[in-house]
Amino acid sequence: MDRARKNITTRKLVMASFLTALSVVFTRFLYFMVPLGGLPAIRLSFGESPLMLSGILFGPLVGGLSGLAADLIGVVVNPQGAYFPGFTLSSVLWGVIPGLISNFFKKNKIEKDYSIVNSVIIFLLVLGMIGAFFEEKLLSINEGKLYLYEKPVSLLISILFIIIFGALVFLPIFLRGKESGNKFFSFDKVVFMVSISYIVISLGLNTYWLSIMFKKGFLVLFPGRLLSSLAAIPIHSMLISTLLRYTKYAMND
């Protein structure tokens, strides 16, 4: 029994180390910028996915250690500006928060479908983004026309963004019930874990850290951060859900 337990622990450490290495590569080298029709380009990377997956598979402790190692190694391998300890905390939480939620699902054997909850969360994020853009005068309406950065937005672009945001809201419902290798980690639960993590870490903590670093108001940075999160949540959810199909042997019953 002790020997089997030791083998499982070793396997966990090996897989967690592999996920940590993936996070470093994705975060420091394989990110890309996406322009969005007159809006500021948003930075997308897959570096958070391996950390969240580590937390989901192995729990908050191993997930947090993966996040800590990924950030410290990344700073040494390819520093991107001055080191700021707040982002180290954020990196740790990318593993801790999904780990805590996944443990809650497993221990309480929750099989409830979270698809509608996810759609409500994303809908509120979309409303929040629109409100933030109007609040910061990035969006405005004048004589029945929509303006972005004081430039008129064409009807085609407006319709395109309505379709995109509508698809984001209803995506969790369209994909409801999709299994991810374990009945407690179907797609709806993965989206829920990713959404909560992004709200707390990316929208909350990281926006605050950036406001300190660049000496800008929190609300000035918030609209762009919210737009980035809306783009990232479905991408990371689908990636993690797919990876969970092939790592079910590493999960604890």
Side-chain angles (χ1 to χ4, degrees), residues 148-161:
L148 175 64
Y149 293 106
E150 299 182 350
K151 296 181 180 179
V153 179
S154 68
L155 180 61
L156 178 62
I157 295 296
S158 300
I159 294 174
L160 178 62
F161 276 104

Side-chain angles (χ1 to χ4, degrees), residues 28-40:
R28 302 288 172 171
F29 300 101
L30 297 182
Y31 65 89
F32 52 97
M33 307 299 290
V34 180
L36 292 173
L39 295 172

Side-chain angles (χ1 to χ4, degrees), residues 184-206:
F184 300 126
F185 298 106
S186 53
F187 185 74
D188 58 287
K189 291 182 177 60
V190 173
V191 175
F192 181 77
M193 288 186 279
V194 173
S195 298
I196 295 301
S197 299
Y198 260 88
I199 290 172
V200 174
I201 304 169
S202 184
L203 291 181
L205 290 176
N206 285 355

